[in-house]
Amino acid sequence: MSDRILLVEDEEKLARMVEMELKYEGYEVEKAFDGRRGLELALSGGFSLVLLDIMLPQLSGMEVLRRLRRESQIPVIMLTARDSVVDKVAGLDSGADDYITKPFAIEELLARIRATLRNKSGQGGQDVPLSVGPLVMDVERHQVTVRGINVELTKKEFDLLRHLLENKGRVLSREALLDAVWGFDFVGETNSVDVYIRFLRSKLDDAFGLKLIHTVRGVGYVIKED
Ligand code: CA
């Protein structure tokens, strides 16, 4: 049975575009164009995940999330406006599972939906660790271990590794990684990705004699066990 996704978004053009892409991916989609209707539908049940815009008429996304969380642990991905770091933090504090900054690439949204659904379907919900081979990431504790040994990573290294792990086995382009980890407002070169991949390799692959981070020439990077 396909997953049903509730999309709460008042920009109708964007909502229609996302709906079309989600349906193409095999999801069932229901739309709400304001917060009140969104909350009502979310509480009515039957959805696997909610995509929730923050700036909404009638009830803000944050208020919808707060009220929803009193009754339901359904996965929620917030759609935030560019640069609103406060929204992101507030959203995650209020119990959102993830957020994505607008404008977003649809591939990025799909990857986050898959990752969120995957995390939730595991036993124990949110605490399912991300892993590849002997490497384990505990997102809640912001901790990475290889064979049980703690590895110190900077914030960016951690975020990059997390994104690779959430898409384990999938080749990600430099652009996709840049968008996901640095955000759309980042002005710079895609070789920032290469630089941080080098840092990760040195701390993970080289330090432990592993081969987890692979370059796919002309395409990008993938994390997987050899
Ligand atoms: Ca809006």
Side-chain angles (χ1 to χ4, degrees):
M1 217 184 82
S2 60
D3 284 303
R4 284 182 79 217
I5 295 179
L6 173 61
L7 172 61
V8 189
E9 168 61 76
D10 60 318
E11 288 165 60
E12 297 197 18
K13 228 172 109 182
L14 176 64
R16 271 201 305 276
M17 188 274 283
V18 172
E19 176 186 32
M20 204 177 72
E21 296 284 353
L22 291 177
K23 284 186 168 166
Y24 184 77
E25 291 295 313
Y27 297 109
E28 282 180 50
V29 183
E30 190 122 5
K31 296 196 298 297
F33 298 120
D34 66 73
R36 199 167 297 279
R37 177 75 183 139
L39 179 63
E40 196 178 289
L41 280 171
L43 288 173
S44 73
F47 293 98
S48 306
L49 182 138
V50 181
L51 295 175
L52 182 59
D53 184 29
I54 287 190
M55 299 291 284
L56 286 169
Q58 304 208 31
L59 268 187
S60 78
M62 217 61 86
E63 191 52 35
V64 171
L65 179 63
R66 262 192 292 271
R67 297 193 193 183
L68 182 61
R69 276 291 172 260
R70 287 182 204 148
E71 297 180 39
S72 162
Q73 283 308 310
I74 183 173
V76 174
I77 299 177
M78 306 293 288
L79 311 176
T80 75
R82 181 197 282 253
D83 288 339
S84 53
V85 177
V86 177
D87 286 350
K88 289 169 194 170
V89 173
L92 292 173
D93 283 350
S94 319
D97 296 85
D98 203 353
Y99 61 83
I100 187 164
T101 308
K102 291 199 265 185
F104 48 79
I106 195 73
E107 293 74 24
E108 169 64 8
L109 179 64
L110 293 171
R112 286 186 186 235
I113 289 173
R114 279 192 297 269
T116 303
L117 290 174
R118 205 162 49 226
N119 282 344
K120 284 290 169 172
S121 64
Q123 79 301 14
Q126 289 165 313
D127 291 334
V128 179
L130 294 167
S131 68
V132 58
L135 183 155
V136 179
M137 171 179 278
D138 185 330
V139 175
E140 305 267 292
R141 293 191 184 143
H142 216 268
Q143 202 175 55
V144 174
T145 57
V146 177
R147 299 192 191 104
I149 299 165
N150 205 31
V151 182
E152 291 292 327
L153 297 180
T154 65
K155 169 95 173 63
K156 274 282 172 271
E157 291 166 352
F158 187 92
D159 291 348
L160 178 59
L161 180 60
R162 179 183 181 177
H163 194 69
L164 286 165
L165 287 170
E166 283 174 347
N167 294 280
K168 187 165 73 176
R170 290 180 66 224
V171 181
L172 300 169
S173 68
R174 285 177 181 75
E175 289 75 19
L177 287 168
L178 197 67
D179 289 345
V181 179
W182 280 264
F184 280 82
D185 42 352
F186 179 78
V187 270
E189 303 289 328
T190 51
N191 69 15
S192 299
V193 174
D194 303 309
V195 170
Y196 276 85
I197 287 282
R198 219 175 302 143
F199 293 158
L200 281 180
R201 275 191 172 136
S202 137
K203 288 183 176 180
L204 301 169
D205 284 352
D206 298 350
F208 293 91
L210 300 169
K211 186 94 188 76
L212 299 176
I213 301 169
H214 303 259
T215 306
V216 181
R217 228 160 269 296
V219 187
Y221 297 101
V222 58
I223 199 162
K224 62 180 182 182
E225 259 185 293
D226 236 355

